[in-house]
Amino acid sequence: MSAQAPLSIRCGEYDRIKLRSPGGISEFLKDVWDHSWRWEALSLRLGFDTRYLRFLEFSAPQIRDLTVENSSRGFGGMHAEYDSITYVLKIFGNPTLRHLSLDGIGLQWNDVGFSRLKYLSLVRIQDGAPDLQQLLEILKIASDLEQLTLHAVEIICSSDKQESDLQPIHLSSLLSLWLEGLPVGSAEHLIRAIWFPQLKSMRVRGRFIEHIENSNSDRNPYHHFLLVLNQILSSSTQGLTLSNEPSSNLLSLDASHWFPGDAGEKTAYLVVEVEDPLSGVQKMADFLTSIRIPVPLTIAANGYNHAFDSTLPPTPSFPAEVLKKLPTVTNISALVLVDALNIMNILGSIRRDEETGRLGWPCPKLKVLDLGGVDGLTSEHREAFLNARYGDGNPLVVDGEAVHRPPMVDLQYFTPYDSDP
């Protein structure tokens, strides 16, 4: 091979190169670092320590694809804070990158160019993270960006002037967006600033519940973001899940269901932080009503984290009356007794639809009511619900109008051996 040919370097702690010589990875890196000026691509996955400090600086004018993961930055536990990191890359030669992925390691951002950037992923970065102004400048330059991931990055949003001077950044090629674990204000600023009409996949967490109600107004600062979200939700082939996590004051809308779908399918996972779960759910229901989502809707009234969380509130955390305006609901689950009883009461109450004027029961497409995790639910509770919603199965006549019963629901519940059936 020519001594002038471009090089693509891949090195990780579990690569076979570690077993070839006493020097292991350090010796291998020393050899290839002498040829950094030839690098076209570098993929490095190491547990950085003092042995590798000298490899944080290099001259690589030809490099286009850069992936560096610092695996030494671990977790103290499943929910622990990220460990502090002090490693920052310094690249000489003014390369122009098209792919940049950094995990647990920072960068001196003025050292590289971004005009050809297609892929940007920054994960678990404290020291060496870009501040918000630097990031916005990068995104303005990287107009052909296709994927953007920012997860647990200390992006500092420190200037009120940035808010008043907010100018839209058009990323017409952006297909994938992931913003999570960012400092307060950073994610919100980014989704207001970036315009991404072709987006196919999003995972976003932020505080913007107050703006989600009037999503159709062009005066809403999140109007463009909510418009794209609406398009993704409406095209979901797997349906939509609304989950209320009252113990953590989080609401989520999930059109991805945690599993990747077809390559061309649009997906969304939106997490909104709220101060009051009852008010938050009402606002989210108003949002879904306003955009008229046609897909099947699953509701987890008290979330899914009961197996790990024993702090579920004994007071209502789900406003059951929102079920009256969500006709596409097919599945409902609850964990708290008071919420389960309120849900059954609403589902068993006949009401007149505000749009059609017809009498009927809420959630006419409901298939599953899962109350298997509710403590204190009795057979009397279940029988009262079934009698109210289904009676003897015949239509109910109200003021001379025959009101047909909805299809029978699959009512799931847990019956201890020593209780009534």
Side-chain angles (χ1 to χ4, degrees), residues 162-359:
Q162 292 172 343
E163 182 69 26
S164 61
D165 294 344
L166 184 67
Q167 297 294 327
I169 298 174
H170 295 271
L171 297 180
S172 57
S173 299
L174 193 68
L175 302 176
S176 175
L177 176 67
W178 183 353
L179 304 176
E180 189 171 4
L182 304 181
V184 174
S186 296
E188 293 80 3
H189 191 106
L190 288 168
I191 60 176
R192 291 195 301 271
I194 304 173
W195 289 54
F196 32 74
Q198 302 302 319
L199 200 71
K200 296 184 179 296
S201 175
M202 72 162 66
R203 182 183 179 100
V204 175
R205 174 170 173 167
R207 299 181 180 183
F208 42 83
I209 191 65
E210 299 301 327
H211 295 280
I212 206 165
E213 287 181 295
N214 58 339
S215 60
N216 293 322
S217 171
D218 56 8
R219 294 185 177 181
N220 188 329
Y222 296 88
H223 175 67
H224 173 73
F225 169 75
L226 294 172
L227 179 63
V228 175
L229 175 63
N230 179 13
Q231 295 171 350
I232 294 178
L233 297 181
S234 300
S235 66
S236 172
T237 60
Q238 301 298 320
L240 179 64
T241 296
L242 169 60
S243 178
N244 174 35
E245 303 283 354
S247 59
S248 53
N249 286 355
L250 296 177
L251 293 177
S252 67
L253 276 178
D254 184 8
S256 63
H257 303 279
W258 304 303
F259 298 101
D262 297 333
E265 183 178 350
K266 295 184 176 182
T267 63
Y269 184 63
L270 180 71
V271 179
V272 183
E273 301 173 23
V274 298
E275 294 183 0
D276 176 14
L278 287 169
S279 174
V281 173
Q282 290 172 338
K283 288 181 171 61
M284 191 68 79
D286 290 341
F287 167 67
L288 294 175
T289 302
S290 68
I291 60 178
R292 299 180 180 274
I293 296 295
V295 301
L297 178 62
T298 293
I299 292 182
N302 307 123
Y304 293 107
N305 293 330
H306 59 288
F308 307 101
D309 190 352
S310 59
T311 60
L312 288 171
T315 55
S317 61
F318 181 81
E321 62 271 13
V322 302
L323 297 175
K324 296 178 181 179
K325 50 188 175 184
L326 297 174
T328 64
V329 171
T330 58
N331 295 66
I332 301 175
S333 67
L335 301 171
V336 177
L337 178 60
V338 64
D339 284 325
L341 296 179
N342 288 340
I343 289 171
M344 288 193 293
N345 180 57
I346 291 294
L347 293 177
S349 302
I350 195 169
R351 92 281 185 261
R352 190 174 298 279
D353 188 277
E354 295 180 358
E355 292 190 2
T356 65
R358 297 178 181 176
L359 288 171

Side-chain angles (χ1 to χ4, degrees), residues 34-47:
D34 292 337
H35 297 270
S36 63
W37 57 275
R38 296 168 54 192
W39 292 351
E40 186 176 61
L42 173 66
S43 177
L44 194 62
R45 291 176 171 87
L46 298 175

Side-chain angles (χ1 to χ4, degrees), residues 10-229:
R10 174 183 176 273
C11 180
E13 289 179 301
Y14 301 103
D15 292 339
R16 293 180 180 179
I17 188 69
K18 187 175 183 180
L19 305 177
R20 292 182 181 177
S21 68
I25 292 179
S26 294
E27 183 176 321
F28 173 76
L29 291 178
K30 182 180 182 302
D31 290 340
V32 299
W33 244 247
D34 292 337
H35 297 270
S36 63
W37 57 275
R38 296 168 54 192
W39 292 351
E40 186 176 61
L42 173 66
S43 177
L44 194 62
R45 291 176 171 87
L46 298 175
F48 278 85
D49 55 34
T50 54
R51 294 174 298 169
Y52 303 124
L53 286 178
R54 56 178 171 166
F55 300 121
L56 295 176
E57 296 186 5
F58 51 86
S59 178
Q62 298 187 62
I63 195 167
R64 298 295 176 261
D65 297 0
L66 178 62
T67 298
V68 181
E69 176 184 339
N70 180 10
S71 60
S72 66
R73 188 186 190 193
F75 299 91
M78 182 178 295
H79 304 292
E81 295 292 330
Y82 294 113
D83 296 333
S84 178
I85 188 110
T86 56
Y87 300 103
V88 178
L89 292 174
K90 184 172 181 57
I91 306 174
F92 300 96
N94 299 312
T96 299
L97 300 176
R98 62 189 178 196
H99 178 113
L100 176 60
S101 176
L102 301 177
D103 185 345
I105 193 164
L107 176 68
Q108 291 196 9
W109 295 93
N110 295 328
D111 293 343
V112 296
F114 300 100
S115 60
R116 299 180 183 178
L117 197 64
K118 299 282 190 179
Y119 180 100
L120 177 60
S121 175
L122 307 178
V123 178
R124 301 186 303 168
I125 301 177
Q126 294 180 355
D127 293 343
D131 62 32
L132 183 60
Q133 190 58 43
Q134 285 177 311
L135 182 60
L136 293 173
E137 291 301 323
I138 291 172
L139 296 178
K140 290 177 183 178
I141 295 170
S143 58
D144 293 329
L145 193 68
E146 297 178 357
Q147 296 188 56
L148 174 60
T149 296
L150 302 171
H151 184 201
V153 183
E154 287 296 322
I155 300 170
I156 299 175
C157 180
S158 59
S159 174
D160 295 335
K161 184 174 183 291
Q162 292 172 343
E163 182 69 26
S164 61
D165 294 344
L166 184 67
Q167 297 294 327
I169 298 174
H170 295 271
L171 297 180
S172 57
S173 299
L174 193 68
L175 302 176
S176 175
L177 176 67
W178 183 353
L179 304 176
E180 189 171 4
L182 304 181
V184 174
S186 296
E188 293 80 3
H189 191 106
L190 288 168
I191 60 176
R192 291 195 301 271
I194 304 173
W195 289 54
F196 32 74
Q198 302 302 319
L199 200 71
K200 296 184 179 296
S201 175
M202 72 162 66
R203 182 183 179 100
V204 175
R205 174 170 173 167
R207 299 181 180 183
F208 42 83
I209 191 65
E210 299 301 327
H211 295 280
I212 206 165
E213 287 181 295
N214 58 339
S215 60
N216 293 322
S217 171
D218 56 8
R219 294 185 177 181
N220 188 329
Y222 296 88
H223 175 67
H224 173 73
F225 169 75
L226 294 172
L227 179 63
V228 175
L229 175 63

